[in-house]
């Protein structure tokens, strides 16, 4: 089985010493992403602004790796403050109003996130059959 790695591309955050995504077989692992611009610079904002940009990065990387957002099976959200859990759920509901299409999710608080971010999102996708 070969491994395909996504390390760069138009609109993707750049400058990291790791793959943005690694895929083998039908499965793709998307690296954790905070609210970064395409140059890889942190864009501080409100919690909703940061989760929106972090998710945009996950979606962009997922598509660059050859998958669609609808093929994301699992999402891990790491928050700097668990007090944002309700705000995350509200944002999540706005993104996935149809529960039959919502990926599984795990959320936890970390002591600190890179760049001082409020959230970092990681995902796993698999080709739909």
């Amino acid at each position: 089985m070969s491994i395909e790695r996504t390390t760069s591309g138009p609109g993707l955050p750049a400058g990291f010493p790791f793959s943005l995504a690694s895929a083998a077989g039908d499965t793709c692992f998307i690296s954790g992403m905070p609210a970064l611009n395409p140059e890889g610079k942190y864009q501080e904002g409100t919690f909703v602004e940061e989760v929106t940009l972090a998710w945009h990065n996950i979606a962009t990387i997922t598509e660059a790796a050859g998958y669609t957002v609808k093929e994301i099976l699992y999402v891990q959200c790491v928050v700097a403050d668990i007090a944002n859990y309700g705000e995350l759920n509200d944002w999540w509901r706005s993104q996935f109003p149809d529960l039959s299409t919502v990926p599984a999710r795990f959320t936890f608080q970390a002591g600190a996130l890179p760049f001082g971010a409020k959230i970092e999102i990681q995902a796993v996708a698999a080709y739909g059959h």
Side-chain angles (χ1 to χ4, degrees):
M1 173 181 334
S2 67
I3 298 173
E4 294 184 31
R5 302 187 195 283
T6 302
T7 57
S8 63
L12 300 179
F16 297 101
F18 52 82
S19 294
L20 299 173
S22 295
D26 289 347
T27 307
C28 182
F29 296 86
I30 299 98
S31 292
M33 283 288 127
L36 302 177
N37 66 23
E39 291 78 42
K41 304 291 183 201
Y42 171 58
Q43 298 293 296
E44 184 175 6
T46 66
F47 183 80
V48 170
E49 289 168 343
E50 288 196 26
V51 72
T52 300
L53 183 51
W55 183 255
H56 170 78
N57 288 332
I58 292 296
T60 302
I61 294 166
T62 299
E63 291 169 5
Y67 295 76
T68 69
V69 173
K70 290 182 178 185
E71 293 172 313
I72 293 177
L73 299 175
Y74 176 74
V75 175
Q76 191 172 75
C77 297
V78 184
V79 294
D81 186 349
I82 201 67
N84 292 122
Y85 187 76
E87 203 168 1
L88 176 61
N89 282 341
D90 290 343
W91 180 89
W92 194 261
R93 283 182 189 98
S94 74
Q95 300 302 302
F96 301 101
D98 179 359
L99 287 178
S100 70
T101 65
V102 68
R105 191 185 90 196
F106 177 66
T107 304
F108 64 97
Q109 176 179 314
L113 293 173
F115 312 107
K118 294 174 180 69
I119 188 166
E120 184 169 345
I121 302 173
Q122 178 267 332
V124 178
Y127 289 127
H129 295 283

